[in-house]
Amino acid sequence: MKRSFVAMTSILLMVGCQTTPETEAPSLSPTEQWQLGWRMIVSTLEEDFSTAAQQFDSLRAYSDTVELRFLIAGLEVLENLGQVEKRDSILALQSEHTWSTFCKKGLYLEQKPNPIPCTREDQQPQDTVLQRQLIAMEVRDQLARGNVQDYLIETFSIDTSGMSYADGVEVDAENREALKAIIEAHGFPTAEQVGEEGMHAVFILIQHADRDPEWQKAQLPYIEAAVKNGGLDGQDYAYLYDRIQVNAGKPQRYGTQFSKVDPATKTIELAAVEDPDNLNQRRMEVGMMPIESYRALVLSRFQ
């Protein structure tokens, strides 16, 4: 079982997506590739797969390289449209480096070319007990917020019988103290130790540690280091940085925090942002979608 693209948020690598367009076309600038790729993802989230497929075709035709998050999203679009042969033909063109990344994510193992050795088992974290403990904490965190993470519960056999839709403040406090104890005993977790899912759990728990702002802020350099080492996504750092800034009454940097969301009037306002003219440039640098798309998606979730 693999996690759908919509649930995956931790892929930043740039890889080649080799194509052979029938006619020569002008290339897209990095900014144009970023904008088109995110338009495709928004179409996917809205389940407009036909439009997303057209955008994927355009991205491949006009770009020499395709960011991995966009490649995976496009391949999932083809699956949703039943275009498995086209998906497989694109997979067949990928480099060994790309396939190595797929293997780390547990993706397309059945379609993997035989000469390329890789299995999901090769990528097991060093400490599966700690990984499962962290993921169980994330599952409890999300249950307290009304979100049932079926993928994590099923994949990691998380027992939720003792969990409930309890008060989020109480859950956050218990999770925060438990994470402090883990870090004290093991050091700040790494992807090698607890895997991608375990690292995402660490981020979620720190993100929700607002009641201990000094400790929360002290974890920011470790989150930044994890991003540099490939254990977390750049947008994880952006969300935590902005949350800390806004909670301290300071301007945010990446535009992740809103001061007002009113679906009735379709009004949405960002909390104060430093250097707003260059906001999209900063968002692109950490792998986030254009602010215009982000505004629209946030507003749509409240409708």
Side-chain angles (χ1 to χ4, degrees), residues 207-227:
Q207 182 79 346
H208 293 160
D210 298 319
R211 294 299 181 101
D212 193 343
E214 290 186 7
W215 180 81
Q216 185 185 52
K217 185 176 181 179
Q219 307 316 304
L220 189 60
Y222 297 105
I223 295 293
E224 184 176 18
V227 170

Side-chain angles (χ1 to χ4, degrees), residues 4-261:
S4 69
F5 173 79
V6 173
M8 296 175 63
T9 59
S10 57
I11 302 174
L12 286 174
L13 301 176
M14 293 291 292
V15 299
C17 178
Q18 303 168 1
T19 60
T20 54
E22 295 181 1
T23 59
E24 192 131 346
S27 61
L28 294 177
S29 70
T31 299
E32 290 169 330
Q33 293 179 44
W34 172 67
Q35 292 170 335
L36 178 57
W38 276 110
R39 286 200 298 272
M40 176 189 65
I41 288 177
V42 170
S43 296
T44 303
L45 293 171
E46 295 174 345
E47 299 187 358
D48 185 358
F49 299 120
S50 295
T51 298
Q54 294 173 5
Q55 292 163 333
F56 184 43
D57 286 342
S58 296
L59 189 62
R60 294 176 55 242
Y62 285 90
S63 304
D64 294 330
T65 59
V66 175
E67 187 177 345
L68 186 58
R69 73 168 77 238
F70 301 147
L71 174 60
I72 293 174
L75 293 171
E76 185 171 297
V77 166
L78 297 180
E79 291 178 14
N80 277 290
L81 292 174
Q83 298 179 14
V84 178
E85 291 185 4
K86 182 175 180 179
R87 179 206 65 184
D88 290 348
S89 68
I90 294 172
L91 283 171
L93 297 172
Q94 301 311 307
S95 67
E96 186 169 341
H97 174 71
T98 304
W99 275 106
S100 175
T101 306
F102 284 158
C103 290
K104 291 178 181 179
K105 305 295 179 184
L107 298 173
Y108 307 115
L109 297 183
E110 294 181 0
Q111 290 78 30
K112 178 184 66 66
N114 289 329
I116 300 177
C118 67
T119 63
R120 180 65 170 171
E121 287 69 27
D122 293 336
Q123 308 300 330
Q124 288 298 308
Q126 297 167 357
D127 193 337
T128 55
V129 174
L130 180 58
Q131 177 197 47
R132 196 161 172 273
Q133 180 182 355
L134 290 167
I135 291 170
M137 291 162 68
E138 179 187 353
V139 167
R140 187 175 181 225
D141 170 287
Q142 291 300 295
L143 276 176
R145 289 168 168 81
N147 301 321
V148 180
Q149 295 180 301
D150 291 327
Y151 168 81
L152 292 179
I153 293 169
E154 180 179 345
T155 302
F156 295 94
S157 302
I158 303 299
D159 181 8
T160 61
S161 59
M163 301 180 187
S164 65
Y165 296 96
D167 176 51
V169 174
E170 178 184 346
V171 170
D172 288 349
E174 292 178 357
N175 276 342
R176 182 175 66 247
E177 294 308 310
L179 182 58
K180 285 182 181 181
I182 287 171
I183 292 174
E184 184 175 348
H186 301 274
F188 197 89
T190 66
E192 290 75 20
Q193 287 177 310
V194 300
E196 180 180 295
E197 301 287 5
M199 288 302 293
H200 185 258
V202 170
F203 160 72
I204 290 293
L205 300 174
I206 293 173
Q207 182 79 346
H208 293 160
D210 298 319
R211 294 299 181 101
D212 193 343
E214 290 186 7
W215 180 81
Q216 185 185 52
K217 185 176 181 179
Q219 307 316 304
L220 189 60
Y222 297 105
I223 295 293
E224 184 176 18
V227 170
K228 291 179 179 178
N229 294 331
L232 284 172
D233 191 286
Q235 63 183 339
D236 294 333
Y237 173 82
Y239 273 99
L240 182 58
Y241 179 90
D242 280 0
R243 192 179 185 109
I244 291 170
Q245 289 290 101
V246 171
N247 285 345
K250 299 177 181 179
Q252 60 181 324
R253 180 174 296 168
Y254 301 100
T256 66
Q257 307 296 305
F258 292 97
S259 60
K260 180 180 181 180
V261 178

